[in-house]
């Protein structure tokens, strides 16, 4: 599943091609996604409107229209948003096509159909219901060492589970939780409530460092992630622990171990991570 860096890479790639562009036509297939496709709303409030902003919240992409509507896209496991010349051959898994007045089209392609496209009509709460309960952005000011210290008091859940809990902080999935904890020198099993203020500062700094570097590298392509131009990311070449069971730690030489936490593959260095 695309995590925050991959979604942000897609957002940045789409922005110059969509901003102030008019959607001249919306074409949808009849296959269901995670939620029913709002075909009537897309025709009424997206078709014929211009894109005024392309934003991100957690792993959601947000497309604001000059009609006042907000289109909210989640890529699910295998969803893709790809720009291509209008009229290009259609793929069997192209579920939505947005034709632009620039001569291009934006396609939502999803093999497994776990993704979703929702529409908040003009005058609605602009996502308060959709985003209710989400924690702060890990690259934003609200995700501070002081916030993390207060949030973790009295919590016994492992640090890795906490990083992947969207109520604590958004957008961090399994790959990046592993890499962030290694960068911070913290064990994924460590109870969150045992973090000192210094440990919270290290963890916040590591979140920012790893996520920003992943964005710079175009994201991580383990299976099928591609950006809006159809190109893969290359942060996988810089992974320090994820997928490296029994390989030598690049910092100390100890063998990387693999275990399971909350049913997810967890990689760490027993020597570097305390």
């Amino acid at each position: 599943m695309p995590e925050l860096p991959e979604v942000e890479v897609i957002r940045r790639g789409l922005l110059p091609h969509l901003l102030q562009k008019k959607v001249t036509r919306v074409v949808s297939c009849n296959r269901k996604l995670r939620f029913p496709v709002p075909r009537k709303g897309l025709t009424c409030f997206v078709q014929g409107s211009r894109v005024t902003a392309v934003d991100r919240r957690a792993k959601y992409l947000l497309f604001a229209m000059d009609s006042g509507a907000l289109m909210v896209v989640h890529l699910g496991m295998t969803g893709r948003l790809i720009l291509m010349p209008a009229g290009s051959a259609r793929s069997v898994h192209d579920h939505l096509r947005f034709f632009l007045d620039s001569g291009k089209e934006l396609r939502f392609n999803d093999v497994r159909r776990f993704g979703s496209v929702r529409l908040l009509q003009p005058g609605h709460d602009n996502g308060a219901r959709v985003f209710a309960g989400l924690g702060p952005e890990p690259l934003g000011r609200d995700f501070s060492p002081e916030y993390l210290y207060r949030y973790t008091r009295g919590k016994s859940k492992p640090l890795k589970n906490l990083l992947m809990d969207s109520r604590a902080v958004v957008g961090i999935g399994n790959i990046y939780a592993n890499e962030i904890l290694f960068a911070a020198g913290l064990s994924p099993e460590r109870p969150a409530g045992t973090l000192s203020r210094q440990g919270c500062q290290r963890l916040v700094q590591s979140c920012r460092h790893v996520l920003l570097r992943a964005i710079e590298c175009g994201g991580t392509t383990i299976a099928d992630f591609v950006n809006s131009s159809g190109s893969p990311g290359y942060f996988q070449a810089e992974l320090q622990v994820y997928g490296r069971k029994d390989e030598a730690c690049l910092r100390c030489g100890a063998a990387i171990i693999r275990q399971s936490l909350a049913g997810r593959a967890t990689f760490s260095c027993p020597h570097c991570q305390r």
Side-chain angles (χ1 to χ4, degrees), residues 47-120:
Q47 185 169 290
S49 298
R50 292 188 182 276
V51 179
T52 59
V54 181
D55 296 316
R56 179 191 55 76
R57 175 69 171 115
K59 299 178 184 179
Y60 294 94
L61 284 161
L62 315 177
F63 301 87
M65 312 302 298
D66 66 3
S67 65
L70 185 71
M71 187 168 68
V72 181
V73 177
H74 193 283
L75 299 176
M77 296 291 291
T78 58
R80 299 178 177 183
L81 282 172
I82 301 177
L83 280 164
M84 51 204 332
S88 299
R90 178 184 171 275
S91 165
V92 67
H93 299 296
D94 288 340
H95 302 295
L96 277 166
R97 302 167 70 188
F98 301 89
F99 292 81
L100 308 173
D101 61 357
S102 63
K104 295 184 179 181
E105 63 176 279
L106 177 66
R107 296 188 181 185
F108 181 79
N109 179 288
D110 191 355
V111 174
R112 298 182 68 179
R113 291 186 286 141
F114 288 161
S116 64
V117 177
R118 288 188 271 186
L119 189 74
L120 302 180

Side-chain angles (χ1 to χ4, degrees), residues 185-206:
L186 296 167
S187 168
E189 297 178 281
R190 180 170 174 169
T194 66
L195 271 186
S196 64
R197 290 182 185 274
Q198 184 181 25
C200 288
Q201 183 170 0
R202 250 188 8 256
L203 190 53
V204 168
Q205 289 174 341
S206 295

